[in-house]
Amino acid sequence: MSQILEKRQLSETVFLMRLDAPLIARERKAGQFIILQLCEDYGERIPLTVADADPEAGSITIIFQAVGKTTQQMALMNVGDEIAALVGPLGSPTHIENFGTVVCIGGGIGIAPLHPIAQAMKAAGNKVIIIMGARNKELIILEDEMRAIADELIICTDDGSYGRKCLVTEPLKELCEQSPKPDLAVAIGPPIMMKFCAETTRPYKVPTQVSLNTIMVDGTGMCGGCRVTVGDETKFVCVDGPEFDGHLVDFDNMMNRLNFFKKQEDHACKIGLHGGSKK
Amino acid sequence: MSYISSEKLAEDAKQAWEELTKRTEPLKPKDRMAIPAQEMPSQDPAIRRTNMKEVALGYTPEQAKLEAERCLQCKTAPCIAGCPVGIDIPGFIQAIADDNNQKAIDILKESSLLPAVCGRVCPQETQCQAPCTVGKVLKSVDKAVSIGRLERYVADWERENGLIETPAIKPETGKKVGIIGTGPAGLTVAADLRREGHHVVLFEAFHKPGGVMIYGIPEFRLPKAIVQKEIDVLTKMGCELKPNFVIGRTRKIQSLLDEDGFDALFIGTGAGLPRFMNIEGENLVGVYSANEYLTRANLMRAYEKDHADTPISDSKKVAVFGGGNVAMDAARTAVRLGAKEVHLIYRRTEVEMPARVEEVGHAKEEGVIFHLLENPKRILSDEQGWVRGIECLRYELGEPDDSGRRRPMAIEGSEFEIDLDTVIVAIGNDSNPLIRQTTPGLETNKWGNIVADENGKTSVERIYAGGDIVLGAATVILAMGEGRKAAAAMNEMLANS
């Protein structure tokens, strides 16, 4: 059981929650995630990145978009309510060191997991350039927090309602063309965005890390549902990842696998919205 | 093996028992061997295909007594040598024959913590029942005394009559022990350590305790309420349970010992890393590990489609790769979830199948289609990256290999296809690397299993290990046996420290 200590709505469908989780707050490092569940008998287990943590206060921050059954239910929960099961921190932490110049690219809700990584990269002495992208201004989250970290911040929107009207790959390409080019790119966002970020940096040989959010059940290596093809190997996102070399990930296969239960999930979401909670 | 209704079995047993009790002179071995071997009553295959309820229904009292009377009470008791935990088998069977079920359960519990579980899931035909004299004389292990069914009968009698007692606990020692993993090994160690008066904390990664008995073995083979009952006993004894707690992540082993005041730890995290075949198409949409498929169905209750949030495919044509108990469980779960065709593909013959004979029989009765001496070569994809079928090869058996089993060899040019929408890979598990990776100094072998001596002692002081994490994927009873030995060594170590 974990109590909701704070709840903020960041955009129409994006919410921030601070949860009481002293053990996770103490151990968690940038890049790691948690799995939560709203009902121990019938709830699904969903992975969410830890966007921030406060070991003294014993709390962690998660940011989620209300897109599925569980996240839609969570959007309706309030301060004082309890999350039935919360486990973590899971996954391998991000490898942090002073690489030189690191460009961090966040798309939509992917800006949330990018935040602690950008923070840690900055703390390690890197020059940090942040590119944030979303469909429109309303969907740009954590701008103040990112601005506080970034040596340079570039905002892009698809409709031009804020910042540059372009995809994140455009400024990324410009940075790769500069001399010196970035030493590392870290891209987190929708799979299609990460795929094209990796394609953008590939000709410039800029090492590119991506953080994958695949379907999971246990999150400890037991089910293998999260597996992805990386180079010639099959890797488990939950224990081998969630971060991988973006130039080696088979994104098309990964995107297919994300649709594994689309039919059943569309059904569940409709019931969830109109039929009330099944808790 | 044709299906006989439970009513008929009960009626036959009643008559046979009446006739037996009419006798005045004592039974001779010849008379005992003439008593018909008692079949396990089970749900009608046509009905059970559509429900998750337990298939095997358990003996009636008459059946149990008849079966108990079949035992010859051999002086040499070869059955005991076949039992990984050395249960006094003739002793508990004699107690059933004497109509003293309480004595029978007391004898069982001297050696086994989980008789209701082991009676259901142990591979008796390769353990205690394999050397049974009755089976030898009647020239079939199927005719051996059904020790497992009798074990289950007694354990169920105790539970159903509300007679399960919380074991006595010795005075508190002030020592604290952590048990990592709540499967059969961990639960056994917890009970044995708590009885000695140590404070016991059980850590479980999932939201519910029980390990493979909860997430893996399906309800129709091992009802979850039975496992829960065993766990309830531990909590009543005062064991502390911490679910949603991943050792290696939420807390590391070294921190438990150095900072959190644990005097000793037992690692029983099992074999929880699914093996794949490394063939083309294994990451296509529609391919599951058996672990994933069974966890969705059991622990996450995807079979209750109207209640569960966790989805599972609406599969019509399913193939399961493998010939063990897990393969049978996956195939039979697929049947119950509504698949029209379930193919079980195994590259050797039925003789080599590691699954319990009863599970193989049940799977056949439920309509699972067995493909023996066949093996998948690759999984075929449709245009969208979903499974559309598999290409298989036919096999033949060659010379015996290292395991003593005849080596299956592919017949060149024998390729053929099966149309499918779902594939479940059930070819075994490796050990989970999480603890190994986060515990410096903990010695493991080339398969990643933790190295432990015969008492479960690892290369690190105060850390013990047992069950599948040491043995590689094995059985509930072996995990329990290992747990008992480790617990004895831990109790001794704690008493002297």
Side-chain angles (χ1 to χ4, degrees):
Chain A
M1 296 272 267
S2 175
Q3 203 178 43
I4 301 170
L5 304 174
E6 187 188 337
K7 180 192 176 191
R8 263 173 31 212
Q9 189 160 4
L10 302 186
S11 75
E12 195 189 331
T13 55
V14 177
F15 296 83
L16 174 151
M17 271 183 186
R18 207 156 54 80
L19 305 175
D20 179 45
L23 293 170
I24 302 174
R26 180 172 60 184
E27 296 286 332
R28 148 283 169 189
K29 293 191 176 63
Q32 291 188 296
F33 62 94
I34 52 102
I35 282 184
L36 62 77
Q37 212 178 333
L38 298 182
C39 163
E40 293 205 328
D41 285 327
Y42 295 113
E44 60 180 339
R45 293 167 64 92
I46 61 161
L48 291 169
T49 307
V50 182
D52 205 352
D54 183 343
E56 270 83 59
S59 68
I60 61 164
T61 303
I62 53 169
I63 295 176
F64 62 91
Q65 189 163 16
V67 284
K69 171 84 198 295
T70 297
T71 46
Q72 283 170 355
Q73 254 176 273
M74 281 169 64
L76 301 173
M77 294 172 77
N78 289 305
V79 171
D81 290 347
E82 304 265 5
I83 304 282
L86 177 67
V87 60
L90 301 170
S92 302
T94 308
H95 176 66
I96 303 288
E97 65 170 69
N98 190 345
F99 295 96
T101 301
V102 178
V103 52
C104 296
I105 311 109
I109 189 76
I111 297 167
L114 188 67
H115 174 248
I117 296 170
Q119 212 172 28
M121 287 295 182
K122 180 69 190 168
N126 290 287
K127 179 184 175 190
V128 175
I129 304 171
I130 297 174
I131 306 173
M132 293 165 52
R135 284 204 312 277
N136 56 47
K137 184 181 180 189
E138 144 84 352
L139 295 172
I140 293 284
I141 56 168
L142 302 179
E143 186 188 340
D144 294 343
E145 288 84 346
M146 288 303 221
R147 205 172 281 285
I149 300 163
D151 291 285
E152 190 184 338
L153 182 82
I154 303 162
I155 292 176
C156 321
T157 51
D158 295 359
D159 65 356
S161 54
Y162 194 43
R164 290 172 59 174
K165 185 182 177 189
C166 64
L167 298 173
V168 291
T169 44
E170 200 175 289
L172 177 62
K173 186 162 189 279
E174 291 161 13
L175 290 169
C176 290
E177 280 165 351
Q178 281 174 16
S179 184
K181 64 187 183 192
D183 298 291
L184 178 72
V186 180
I188 309 182
I192 192 80
M193 182 208 93
M194 293 192 280
K195 177 183 170 173
F196 282 101
C197 285
E199 287 315 315
T200 304
T201 57
R202 192 190 301 274
Y204 302 97
K205 298 193 170 56
V206 174
T208 301
Q209 267 179 33
V210 294
S211 179
L212 307 182
N213 189 349
T214 50
I215 291 169
M216 289 184 191
V217 183
D218 63 299
T220 62
M222 202 274 291
C223 82
C226 63
R227 63 194 188 278
V228 287
T229 312
V230 181
D232 298 331
E233 289 176 283
T234 290
K235 295 278 186 189
F236 287 7
V237 172
C238 66
V239 285
D240 301 320
E243 283 168 20
F244 295 99
D245 180 346
H247 294 151
L248 296 178
V249 171
D250 180 345
F251 282 102
D252 294 336
N253 176 245
M254 180 202 157
M255 286 186 270
N256 274 335
R257 288 188 62 82
L258 280 170
N259 288 327
F260 203 149
F261 301 105
K262 195 158 188 319
K263 205 173 80 188
Q264 288 92 333
E265 274 160 3
D266 285 350
H267 180 65
C269 286
K270 289 195 186 91
I271 294 171
L273 271 182
H274 306 300
S277 161
K278 281 195 233 165
K279 239 176 111 175
Chain B
M1 202 166 71
S2 60
Y3 175 74
I4 305 167
S5 76
S6 53
E7 291 79 11
K8 171 97 171 73
L9 289 173
E11 189 50 42
D12 288 355
K14 209 167 177 181
Q15 280 180 17
W17 181 250
E18 268 169 28
E19 273 167 42
L20 204 69
T21 45
K22 276 184 208 145
R23 289 176 57 113
T24 45
E25 71 275 30
L27 291 171
K28 294 196 184 79
K30 203 175 66 145
D31 304 323
R32 293 185 185 281
M33 281 189 286
I35 300 171
Q38 296 299 302
E39 289 296 328
M40 177 59 107
S42 60
Q43 274 197 72
D44 187 319
I47 295 166
R48 72 185 194 234
R49 289 178 97 255
T50 60
N51 69 50
M52 287 300 269
K53 287 190 218 126
E54 189 170 19
V55 168
L57 301 170
Y59 277 162
T60 63
E62 288 82 12
Q63 279 191 291
K65 281 188 277 189
L66 280 171
E67 192 64 25
E69 292 289 6
R70 295 182 68 232
C71 174
L72 304 178
Q73 296 291 320
C74 309
K75 290 275 174 301
T76 52
C79 47
I80 299 181
C83 173
V85 296
I87 291 172
D88 174 10
I89 292 166
F92 98 83
I93 292 182
Q94 185 60 55
I96 297 173
D98 295 342
D99 226 353
N100 189 345
N101 288 343
Q102 186 58 53
K103 187 178 172 193
I105 191 71
D106 290 343
I107 294 172
L108 278 169
K109 287 203 164 171
E110 278 169 24
S111 314
S112 170
L113 179 79
L114 307 166
V117 176
C118 293
R120 286 172 165 80
V121 304
C122 263
Q124 289 95 3
E125 64 271 5
T126 60
Q127 296 181 352
C128 54
Q129 289 169 204
C132 171
T133 312
V134 177
K136 295 269 185 223
V137 174
L138 298 175
K139 294 191 172 55
S140 165
V141 72
D142 296 343
K143 296 271 187 275
V145 176
S146 287
I147 299 164
R149 292 169 185 170
L150 290 172
E151 179 184 23
R152 168 189 163 152
Y153 170 77
V154 179
D156 286 357
W157 169 85
E158 184 198 33
R159 189 183 62 258
E160 284 159 14
N161 289 288
L163 299 170
I164 295 181
E165 280 179 28
T166 311
I169 312 291
K170 290 189 185 165
E172 298 291 336
T173 62
K175 303 254 167 67
K176 188 160 83 162
V177 189
I179 312 285
I180 304 162
T182 62
L187 296 184
T188 304
V189 176
D192 283 358
L193 288 168
R194 182 64 195 133
R195 266 196 276 246
E196 287 301 304
H198 306 307
H199 180 61
V200 171
V201 183
L202 287 147
F203 297 101
E204 168 56 46
F206 266 128
H207 50 289
K208 284 184 182 166
V212 72
M213 299 182 288
I214 290 289
Y215 74 72
I217 304 176
E219 178 77 16
F220 57 80
R221 196 150 78 85
L222 177 62
K224 302 305 145 218
I226 290 173
V227 182
Q228 189 54 48
K229 202 87 190 174
E230 304 292 349
I231 291 159
D232 290 346
V233 172
L234 288 179
T235 39
K236 274 192 204 134
M237 286 166 75
C239 293
E240 196 184 334
L241 181 66
K242 287 191 184 289
N244 300 306
F245 205 115
V246 182
I247 299 298
R249 290 275 185 244
T250 313
R251 202 76 176 129
K252 295 197 173 56
I253 295 251
Q254 217 53 52
S255 315
L256 293 175
L257 290 172
D258 297 347
E259 297 164 42
D260 301 347
F262 282 90
D263 295 291
L265 296 173
F266 175 81
I267 305 171
T269 47
L273 197 77
R275 238 180 255 157
F276 288 92
M277 298 185 70
N278 298 317
I279 57 173
E280 184 187 322
E282 238 171 351
N283 291 349
L284 291 171
V285 189
V287 183
Y288 292 90
S289 73
N291 283 1
E292 180 182 1
Y293 193 75
L294 291 171
T295 302
R296 284 178 182 274
N298 299 320
L299 178 73
M300 309 310 292
R301 301 211 198 183
Y303 65 85
E304 293 181 64
K305 282 181 189 162
D306 293 338
H307 295 285
D309 291 344
T310 301
I312 197 158
S313 340
D314 230 348
S315 307
K316 296 291 171 246
K317 291 183 171 188
V318 181
V320 179
F321 301 164
N325 288 317
V326 176
M328 300 303 149
D329 288 346
R332 297 171 66 200
T333 299
V335 167
R336 284 160 175 75
L337 289 173
K340 299 278 169 277
E341 272 176 34
V342 179
H343 302 265
L344 187 122
I345 299 170
Y346 181 58
R347 62 191 182 135
R348 302 180 196 246
T349 71
E350 199 172 316
V351 183
E352 288 88 11
M353 272 194 175
R356 295 176 82 220
V357 170
E358 188 170 287
E359 312 310 331
V360 174
H362 282 159
K364 284 184 179 170
E365 286 176 0
E366 289 164 15
V368 174
I369 306 158
F370 279 58
H371 295 250
L372 302 170
L373 288 168
E374 290 176 13
N375 207 31
K377 188 179 166 191
R378 61 192 176 109
I379 305 170
L380 307 168
S381 172
D382 70 8
E383 300 82 49
Q384 273 86 46
W386 288 63
V387 171
R388 74 164 172 84
I390 51 173
E391 185 177 69
C392 285
L393 276 170
R394 294 189 207 285
Y395 275 61
E396 58 192 350
L397 292 182
E399 296 301 307
D401 62 13
D402 298 342
S403 71
R405 299 184 297 182
R406 290 177 66 193
R407 190 192 302 275
M409 318 229 290
I411 302 171
E412 259 182 68
S414 64
E415 285 88 349
F416 66 99
E417 288 185 12
I418 305 174
D419 289 342
L420 301 166
D421 54 45
T422 303
V423 167
I424 303 168
V425 183
I427 57 163
N429 280 287
D430 290 321
S431 65
N432 192 303
L434 205 51
I435 288 189
R436 183 174 80 223
Q437 285 166 356
T438 54
T439 312
L442 187 66
E443 202 185 315
T444 53
N445 65 17
K446 63 175 172 177
W447 298 283
N449 298 321
I450 295 175
V451 176
D453 71 10
E454 69 280 6
N455 294 315
K457 207 169 174 315
T458 70
S459 57
V460 181
E461 277 297 300
R462 298 189 288 154
I463 301 180
Y464 292 74
D468 284 4
I469 189 68
V470 171
L471 300 164
T475 58
V476 168
I477 187 79
L478 281 173
M480 219 182 71
E482 291 271 294
R484 291 230 95 147
K485 281 188 247 168
M490 291 173 81
N491 277 328
E492 198 188 319
M493 187 271 286
L494 290 166
N496 298 326
S497 67

